[in-house]
Amino acid sequence: MAHITGKKIALLTTNGVEQPELTEPVAAIKEHGGTPVIVSPEEGQIQAMKGDWEHADHFDVDVTLDAANPEDYDGLVLPGGTLNADTLRIDENAQKFVKAFFDAGKPVAAICHGPWILTEIGAAKGRTVTSYPSLKTDLLNAGAEWVDDSVVVSNGLVTSRTPDDLEDFNREFLNLVSDE
């Protein structure tokens, strides 16, 4: 398995994030020697969800989005959760932050509703992706080829459908970030 010792990985998220889509990548990053950093437009804490309706745990924000510099990170994870993803995709600062990773050729991973922001910044165009099924039309309209697979790797982007795919998602993202 990939080792990412010394690598800093940003996880861009806000209130409404699907809890396992945040906690499982954080655990995988730590397990393989990396440092996960929760970046959010919110200060203090964010509210995670179980599905779209049930409140789950709160998580501390490590760096606010306005203070985060994409140059400080070796990769980016975009967890899902409908409320989280819908909020971030229309946030101009979030768009600029995500776009900077693509412009720099750094690995990006988006799961479930996380790929929604890709439609706003032109990063879906020309890539093969997957997502939660309700995003299929948006991603197709943004120029992506959409497939129904547990994980897809396309030009530095890892995408997955749901929390059920997290094992594959984490493995492929860590492989991209790894120097091995």
Side-chain angles (χ1 to χ4, degrees):
M1 186 59 133
H3 295 283
I4 61 168
T5 302
K7 306 266 181 151
K8 282 177 57 176
I9 308 299
L11 295 101
L12 179 60
T13 188
T14 192
N15 292 309
V17 65
E18 177 79 26
Q19 184 159 318
E21 294 173 9
L22 175 62
T23 58
E24 291 190 31
V26 164
I29 292 163
K30 287 180 179 177
E31 179 182 338
H32 292 86
T35 302
V37 180
I38 296 175
V39 177
S40 178
E42 305 297 323
E43 291 182 14
Q45 292 189 326
I46 55 169
Q47 170 71 62
M49 303 294 281
K50 181 178 180 185
D52 286 334
W53 304 105
E54 186 179 331
H55 284 192
D57 297 325
H58 288 88
F59 294 91
D60 291 334
V61 172
D62 296 312
V63 179
T64 58
L65 181 57
D66 61 353
N69 182 346
E71 294 176 12
D72 295 340
Y73 304 97
D74 300 291
L76 172 65
V77 175
L78 300 168
T82 308
L83 297 172
N84 168 64
D86 193 42
T87 299
L88 291 174
R89 75 183 181 119
I90 61 171
D91 181 313
E92 289 183 16
N93 289 331
Q95 291 172 10
K96 289 175 188 171
F97 187 77
V98 174
K99 189 173 183 319
F101 283 84
F102 285 102
D103 291 348
K106 294 181 180 183
V108 176
I111 187 167
C112 198
H113 285 80
W116 227 347
I117 197 167
L118 307 180
T119 67
E120 303 293 330
I121 63 170
K125 188 173 185 172
R127 286 189 165 87
T128 302
V129 300
T130 194
S131 66
Y132 192 76
S134 65
L135 273 63
K136 177 181 178 179
T137 301
D138 290 340
L139 288 161
L140 289 170
N141 287 340
E145 177 186 342
W146 190 91
V147 295
D148 186 14
D149 290 332
S150 68
V151 66
V152 176
V153 181
S154 182
N155 301 327
L157 172 65
V158 177
T159 52
S160 285
R161 302 170 299 193
T162 71
D164 294 339
D165 302 326
L166 277 162
E167 185 177 334
D168 295 338
F169 177 78
N170 289 334
R171 179 189 66 244
E172 294 301 328
F173 178 66
L174 292 171
N175 284 338
L176 276 184
V177 174
S178 174
D179 289 329
E180 297 174 6

